[in-house]
Amino acid sequence: MNKIILTILLILIFNTSIQAQKEQKWTSIINDKESTWFASAEAKEVAKNVLLYQRNIGGWPKNIQMQNPLTATEKQNLIALKTDLNEITTDNGATCQEMLFLSKMYAQVPDERYKNAFLSGLDYLLKAQYENGGWPQFYPLKKGYYSHITYNDDSMVHILNVLKEIAEKTDYYSIKPSEATIEKSKIAFNKGIDCILKTQYKQNEVLTAWCAQHDEITMLPAKARAYELPSLSGKESAKIVLLLMSIKNPSPEIVAAVNSAFVWFEKTKITDLREERVPVPNSKIIEKVMVKDPSAEPLWARFMELSDNTPFFCDRDGIKKATLAEIGQERRTGYAWYTNEPKEVLKKYPNWKKNSESETIISLKKSEVTLKDEFNIVVDQNGNGDFKTIQEAVNAAKSYPSQRITIFIKNGTYYEKVKVHAWNTCISFIGESREKTIITYDDYFNKINLGRNSTFHTYTVLVEGNDFIAKNLTIQNSSGEVGQAVALNVNANRVVFSNCTFLGNQDTLYTSGEGTKNYFKDCYIEGTTDFIFGDATALFENCTIHSKSDSYITAASTPKDTSYGYVFKNCKLTADKKVTKAYLGRPWRPYAKTVYINCEMGKHILPEGWHNWSKREAETSSFYAEYKCTGEGFQPKTRVSWSHQLKDSEAKKYTIEKILDSDSTKATKQWYLKFN
């Protein structure tokens, strides 16, 4: 009899435990349970569910109460979904929170399944990152606003906090990745911070805060759901700033971002409103009412106008309203329109400011360099200049300077990977001589090994600062014929290269950035396949374009409705002796535009001239043309039928002013003449 009673008691205890587990939220289980609980049988059962819900790509779906028991049928369904690529996300804490759970499990029960699942999740986060440093809400990408860079509900901040712990090799996670993965995490974290700095919104040229989501191409504030319009976010911006404040030895750009955001939070706080929840008689509805209260704790609006920070509210019709009371009850009570999260920024800011200023002083003392002229910096690898490396000179240059900074580079072979950051505007690289001032590095796709976008990390020189000029130097990717390997990546506007040489093989020159304009004059560019590629508008004038193998010269990805893509004027197309079958170009993207005007074409250019990259639709959407070219390779009568030979009236549109000045402001007109 005693055995029967004991059995009943055990069943009751077990059922009570399961019921309590059901009632407790998944996030509470991860964050609130004592560490010893993760060694329990109960935790192991939950861990089985977590492993089942993880997809083969490494991520998890969202809003799953992982602790809830699964039936046999549900388990089989989850196994069948392992290869499914839909609805995998970092939204609402998904993936990052499951990784934390697995780490806590592994600390108590070193089961390799937990470790492997955690590392797979980390790989997923790294794969999902955009080249610009941001993350979409869903990966693989889901159509709609889900592809925007997503700060909403702190999604990207959660990811960056994971990467920060990994990169800094802290003990926060019990599972330790390989050194290679740690290095990838460092790169991804830095790119993410760079994305945050680039997306901080400028209001009348003053840095403010962030939108909940930013367009993944333009990086501007973007719309999500009908009631989530482009705006400045009082909520999401808070966690972004707290992340920036957590970075040790912050750069001047991070310090400026935090200081600006703090000022904005102070400016936009609401000090006379309090939210009340009022039951509606004879219903289950709890109404949300904003009450005037001079003694209320500060609040911030979730959405504020980009132009003047005025709070606004929207119903599902997307029409802005001035007050919360003006929208329907369903959205009024079913969404967080106000937040107090920035109060943590205001609380921590004084100490952060004091510490950051101290760290800046210490950093300056450690690397103090007295420049004779901060607008004229000399680089000499032999030690007879201000710096021995080009990157040191760039790092020491003033951000957003009041006048052009010239970095004079003495003759020598500089084996380094150089990045001109977005804040390094108005910088000039002037080499002592084109032949003997050489910047070289040897990264390539498989060496970088950062997934499908590895190409974009292989650059020797990356230019992100607008109004950049380079003269009299050589930029080389010396990795050899090993696949994609970029020598120069230009992702900036109003950039000039004059009397320069670009050496490489596949993907030598990448001109990126929708709407950006580049000018290459008197340059030599060589390569094998697609060695001039990208989406920028670029004019190549009096350049030599040299093919090293039978392949394709250009692979433009011109955006739709862009007037000009690649324009080659008075250029000379040459080739190695072995080369006999080269195409003028093929469309990387469907609206590619490439035009050759008054160019001398060697006999290596194929009679058909152009290739459609097996994209029949590109034959009608792309624009490939020539005008009054010469040489054995210019055979207009045998060109593919979907290419064009320009008429005189059409060719008149291809002036330097129309190509490069079409959207210039008064201050930037004829920017391409400033290199002289």
Side-chain angles (χ1 to χ4, degrees):
M1 189 70 178
N2 289 337
K3 287 184 178 180
I4 294 172
I5 293 171
L6 181 61
T7 302
I8 292 171
L9 284 172
L10 288 172
I11 291 171
L12 287 171
I13 290 168
F14 179 76
N15 287 338
T16 301
S17 174
I18 291 294
Q19 186 61 35
Q21 192 172 290
K22 279 186 178 181
E23 292 172 356
Q24 192 172 15
K25 288 186 177 181
W26 172 229
T27 52
S28 297
I29 287 175
I30 298 170
N31 297 307
D32 299 342
K33 291 287 188 183
E34 295 291 335
S35 60
T36 53
W37 178 85
F38 291 89
S40 69
E42 186 181 5
K44 291 175 185 176
E45 288 301 312
V46 176
K48 288 179 183 178
N49 292 353
V50 173
L51 295 176
L52 276 173
Y53 275 106
Q54 186 181 29
R55 304 286 174 81
N56 288 348
I57 196 174
W60 281 265
K62 67 176 179 177
N63 300 335
I64 307 294
Q65 296 302 312
M66 300 280 176
Q67 75 280 15
N68 290 350
L70 295 168
T71 65
T73 301
E74 288 172 332
K75 290 177 182 178
Q76 287 303 314
N77 290 339
L78 286 173
I79 291 170
L81 280 172
K82 282 288 185 181
T83 57
D84 191 272
L85 295 176
N86 296 306
E87 302 302 319
I88 310 168
T89 183
T90 54
D91 190 33
N92 290 0
T95 299
C96 295
Q97 62 190 11
E98 281 75 43
M99 290 173 64
L100 178 57
F101 174 84
L102 291 168
S103 169
K104 291 187 175 185
M105 287 297 303
Y106 190 77
Q108 301 297 321
V109 184
D111 187 323
E112 287 298 298
R113 293 177 302 166
Y114 306 152
K115 178 180 179 180
N116 292 336
F118 175 92
L119 294 176
S120 180
L122 181 56
D123 285 340
Y124 168 79
L125 297 181
L126 294 171
K127 288 175 188 174
Q129 187 178 30
Y130 284 131
E131 173 58 27
N132 61 24
W135 273 269
Q137 190 176 120
F138 287 81
Y139 180 82
L141 296 178
K142 182 178 177 180
K143 289 184 178 180
Y145 66 84
Y146 309 101
S147 63
H148 291 326
I149 296 168
T150 303
Y151 298 127
N152 193 36
D153 292 329
D154 309 319
S155 175
M156 189 162 142
V157 170
H158 289 151
I159 297 169
L160 288 170
N161 278 325
V162 172
L163 297 178
K164 186 171 183 287
E165 299 292 345
I166 298 296
E168 293 178 356
K169 299 183 181 180
T170 69
D171 292 327
Y172 186 78
Y173 294 109
S174 64
I175 298 163
K176 306 303 178 188
S178 66
E179 285 298 324
T181 301
I182 290 171
E183 188 59 33
K184 289 180 184 178
S185 299
K186 287 179 183 177
I187 293 170
F189 178 79
N190 290 333
K191 283 175 61 179
I193 296 301
D194 194 36
C195 176
I196 285 174
L197 296 175
K198 287 179 180 177
T199 50
Q200 188 173 17
Y201 189 73
K202 274 190 175 181
Q203 190 182 85
N204 300 320
E205 297 304 311
V206 176
L207 288 172
T208 57
W210 292 262
C211 185
Q213 53 280 317
H214 288 247
D215 186 275
E216 64 274 23
I217 304 299
T218 66
M219 302 182 87
L220 293 172
K223 177 184 176 183
R225 288 174 288 190
Y227 49 89
E228 296 172 328
L229 302 180
S231 59
L232 294 175
S233 169
K235 180 184 184 300
E236 279 75 14
S237 297
K239 286 292 196 299
I240 292 172
V241 176
L242 290 172
L243 170 64
L244 294 178
M245 291 169 71
S246 73
I247 296 173
K248 296 176 182 177
N249 301 315
S251 68
E253 293 70 32
I254 292 174
V255 172
V258 173
N259 286 335
S260 300
F262 171 79
V263 171
W264 183 82
F265 282 133
E266 283 283 10
K267 182 178 180 180
T268 58
K269 68 182 178 183
I270 301 165
T271 57
D272 61 351
L273 274 185
R274 174 171 48 83
E275 181 181 299
E276 279 192 5
R277 299 292 182 127
V278 181
V280 177
N282 304 317
S283 77
K284 295 181 180 180
I285 297 172
I286 304 296
E287 185 58 88
K288 185 188 294 184
V289 179
M290 303 308 296
V291 179
K292 284 284 185 180
D293 182 354
S295 61
E297 291 291 318
L299 288 176
W300 286 261
R302 181 79 174 261
F303 300 99
M304 300 182 223
E305 292 283 6
L306 293 169
S307 58
D308 60 8
N309 309 314
T310 301
F312 68 84
F313 310 86
C314 279
D315 216 321
R316 293 188 184 273
D317 58 7
I319 299 173
K320 294 179 182 179
K321 302 294 183 182
T323 65
L324 185 60
E326 294 176 70
I327 65 173
Q329 189 274 331
E330 182 267 337
R331 277 299 80 197
R332 186 166 62 245
T333 60
Y335 196 77
W337 295 99
Y338 288 94
T339 182
N340 65 358
E341 290 188 26
K343 70 178 183 181
E344 195 66 16
V345 174
L346 303 190
K347 177 182 175 182
K348 292 184 175 181
Y349 179 78
N351 280 339
W352 173 86
K353 185 171 177 61
K354 180 180 177 182
N355 292 335
S356 66
E357 288 173 349
S358 298
E359 288 171 359
T360 301
I361 292 169
I362 292 169
S363 177
L364 287 171
K365 285 182 177 178
K366 285 182 177 178
S367 58
E368 191 171 352
V369 176
T370 302
L371 295 171
K372 296 176 183 177
D373 184 346
E374 62 184 0
F375 295 105
N376 290 278
I377 301 170
V378 178
V379 176
D380 181 5
Q381 62 183 199
N382 297 317
N384 296 318
D386 298 303
F387 299 96
K388 289 185 177 182
T389 70
I390 300 165
Q391 191 62 60
E392 284 178 318
V394 173
N395 292 344
K398 294 179 69 173
S399 59
Y400 305 108
S402 58
Q403 66 186 71
R404 178 164 293 280
I405 294 173
T406 298
I407 298 177
F408 181 73
I409 308 168
K410 290 197 172 183
N411 285 342
T413 299
Y414 296 84
Y415 179 74
E416 56 178 305
K417 202 172 176 79
V418 177
K419 181 177 181 181
V420 180
H421 301 278
W423 51 85
N424 292 129
T425 56
C426 296
I427 280 186
S428 294
F429 282 3
I430 309 298
E432 186 174 357
S433 71
R434 175 171 173 168
E435 297 77 17
K436 295 181 180 180
T437 304
I438 302 168
I439 311 170
T440 183
Y441 209 74
D442 54 7
D443 273 344
Y444 55 93
F445 189 98
N446 289 334
K447 178 182 176 183
I448 290 290
N449 194 27
L450 288 173
R452 63 180 182 176
N453 293 317
S454 294
T455 300
F456 309 113
H457 298 277
T458 62
Y459 61 84
T460 297
V461 174
L462 169 61
V463 178
E464 293 184 335
N466 291 341
D467 301 293
F468 176 86
I469 293 172
K471 290 179 66 175
N472 310 333
L473 52 80
T474 292
I475 298 173
Q476 176 185 35
N477 189 307
S478 57
S479 59
E481 295 191 50
V482 289
Q484 297 99 315
V486 175
L488 172 65
N489 179 347
V490 182
N491 186 9
N493 200 19
R494 300 182 300 274
V495 172
V496 175
F497 284 87
S498 173
N499 194 41
C500 291
T501 295
F502 307 99
L503 305 177
N505 291 284
Q506 184 174 349
D507 295 349
T508 304
L509 172 59
Y510 178 37
T511 64
S512 60
E514 184 174 346
T516 60
K517 305 289 181 69
N518 305 158
Y519 182 38
F520 296 84
K521 188 175 187 296
D522 302 323
C523 293
Y524 173 90
I525 308 164
E526 71 169 28
T528 55
T529 300
D530 303 334
F531 59 94
I532 302 174
F533 72 111
D535 58 347
T537 292
L539 173 61
F540 300 85
E541 200 165 40
N542 304 324
C543 294
T544 297
I545 314 299
H546 187 80
S547 296
K548 296 170 65 178
S549 71
D550 291 344
S551 198
Y552 311 88
I553 295 174
T554 66
S557 55
T558 316
K560 186 179 180 181
D561 300 325
T562 298
S563 300
Y564 302 94
Y566 288 152
V567 180
F568 297 84
K569 295 186 74 174
N570 304 314
C571 293
K572 188 172 184 179
L573 278 55
T574 62
D576 287 357
K577 289 182 179 180
K578 63 179 181 178
V579 180
T580 59
K581 299 177 181 179
Y583 290 93
L584 295 170
R586 60 176 179 171
W588 183 18
R589 294 292 180 267
Y591 298 98
K593 285 184 171 70
T594 304
V595 177
Y596 291 85
I597 296 174
N598 296 327
C599 292
E600 181 184 338
M601 299 181 176
K603 62 182 179 180
H604 61 294
I605 301 299
L606 285 163
E608 55 266 43
W610 308 91
H611 193 278
N612 68 4
W613 208 331
S614 300
K615 303 171 184 175
R616 292 298 299 273
E617 68 280 5
E619 293 183 6
T620 56
S621 58
S622 62
F623 184 81
Y624 287 142
E626 300 157 79
Y627 178 73
K628 288 188 177 180
C629 293
T630 60
E632 294 179 73
F634 180 57
Q635 300 184 43
K637 293 181 180 180
T638 60
R639 291 294 192 247
V640 292
S641 61
W642 44 276
S643 67
H644 307 269
Q645 296 298 318
L646 297 177
K647 299 176 183 178
D648 290 347
S649 58
E650 293 172 320
K652 288 180 180 178
K653 299 176 183 177
Y654 289 86
T655 65
I656 188 170
E657 293 83 6
K658 290 180 179 178
I659 297 168
L660 299 180
D661 256 348
S662 57
D663 57 358
S664 295
T665 64
K666 186 176 180 180
T668 60
K669 284 285 184 186
Q670 296 190 322
W671 54 268
Y672 40 83
L673 300 179
K674 293 179 181 178
F675 69 95
N676 289 321

